[in-house]
Amino acid sequence: MSGTPLPTPHDYRFAQAFTVRLVGLSLVALALVMFAGTAVVAVSGVNADVLVVLLGVGVAGVFGLGWWLRNRAFVLRAESEGYVVGPVRGAGVKRARWGEVSQAATTTVRGIDCLVLHLEDARATTIPVEALAVDREQFVREMQRRLRAGQGHRPLG
């Protein structure tokens, strides 16, 4: 292990554009639910107040999702001992210790710049760098520090 002190834990949050896109999709979903709900009320004769309640719950859900994405959700939680990947589809291994990482590399997966952490047992974690609310170069430097602190791995390629 190198003499580099262990970096402090840090949550890498979703980029603002990513958050806005997800909230926008939830608004479209709410509109579709309201359309279906309106059709059900019109056909069945159910009290139209149900639509007001449905809209209120839906709007509260959209605001709640936006708040959670902005303040609580993380793409990657880097701790002194290892990492945890948040709600990222296709990330592979969601949790591992830095000592389990055998190789780290930057690559492009389906047109998206990613950091791939290859583990000793042939598994891997893929982190989409574009989803992070941090500069790409800063993120790579931070991961280099964490890997060196974990077991003295060579710099990312």
Side-chain angles (χ1 to χ4, degrees), residues 82-98:
Y83 64 88
V84 179
V85 178
V88 177
R89 198 173 49 177
V93 178
K94 296 277 191 163
R95 177 186 298 267
R97 298 173 58 82
W98 294 118

Side-chain angles (χ1 to χ4, degrees), residues 71-153:
N71 298 308
R72 304 297 266 176
F74 59 88
V75 177
L76 177 71
R77 175 170 286 151
E79 300 168 339
S80 59
E81 295 296 319
Y83 64 88
V84 179
V85 178
V88 177
R89 198 173 49 177
V93 178
K94 296 277 191 163
R95 177 186 298 267
R97 298 173 58 82
W98 294 118
E100 296 177 62
V101 178
S102 64
Q103 179 184 1
T106 56
T107 188
T108 302
V109 178
R110 286 174 265 180
I112 299 171
D113 292 334
C114 296
L115 171 69
V116 180
L117 302 173
H118 298 277
L119 304 178
E120 294 170 342
D121 58 3
R123 298 178 302 151
T125 300
T126 304
I127 303 162
V129 178
E130 294 175 5
L132 298 170
V134 66
D135 177 68
R136 173 186 171 157
E137 298 305 317
Q138 177 186 347
F139 176 68
V140 169
R141 282 191 303 273
E142 177 68 19
M143 290 300 102
Q144 287 173 332
R145 281 188 28 224
R146 290 185 184 282
L147 289 170
R148 277 193 301 269
Q151 276 195 344
H153 292 288

